[in-house]
Amino acid sequence: GTGGKILDGMEIKLDNKDPLTGVGEICVRGENVMLGYYKNDEATETSFDKDGWFRTGDIGSIDEKGHVHVTGRLKENIVLATGKKIAPDDIEEKYSDLPGVKELVICGIPVNNADYDEVQAFVVPERLSAESLEKIRKEITERGATLIQNMRIAKTHFVEKIPRTSLQKPKRYLLKKKALEGD
């Protein structure tokens, strides 16, 4: 359940670590870390801090045994109106057992003229009837009413399938694009 321990000759730190959860952005440096992006100074500058730490874009924690736990991707985090960031997996967990739903993926969709995201769900229903879709919407609203405001789904998109990577992770960037294009 972990990425293992850091290799000899490498250093690891968690940037912007949450004091309660111990989760932060995983940063590494060492002899086997690339020096930068080929002919792309801008990407190199944003990927490394002034002390040479490579910002992996992964978020996670390090346990007492030194094992690295990767819990998500920084780019996938949802920026709430309060400025707090939340992983979509944390919200998905709250809606994981909805009746009539084969799959549910949460994305943060940027709000126009604002610096935060709206929580939206992409749902693969078991059946595509108007009645079953309405029932799912109702279940989502009822479940949301029992959760804190940050975990409530603002909009639901029904899709035939969730696009996935070769590792079977959802391609959230494609779902975001779909939502921004007006679904």
Side-chain angles (χ1 to χ4, degrees), residues 122-161:
F122 292 82
V123 174
V124 177
E126 289 176 355
R127 292 187 323 213
L128 277 173
S129 70
E131 181 183 325
S132 66
L133 300 185
E134 189 53 41
K135 190 173 181 179
I136 292 169
R137 276 196 175 92
K138 184 179 178 199
E139 289 280 345
I140 287 172
T141 302
E142 287 175 3
R143 180 73 53 92
T146 67
L147 303 171
I148 60 172
Q149 181 69 34
N150 299 341
M151 292 193 165
R152 293 182 188 157
I153 294 170
K155 186 173 182 181
T156 302
H157 306 266
F158 292 101
V159 295
E160 288 183 33
K161 70 178 196 172

Side-chain angles (χ1 to χ4, degrees), residues 12-27 58-64 67-71:
I12 189 169
K13 75 172 185 174
L14 299 175
D15 198 31
N16 296 316
K17 185 164 92 172
D18 184 303
L20 296 175
T21 64
V23 173
E25 181 181 8
I26 300 170
C27 299
D58 292 322
I59 52 175
S61 61
I62 303 169
D63 66 23
E64 63 282 346
H67 293 117
V68 179
H69 298 262
V70 179
T71 57

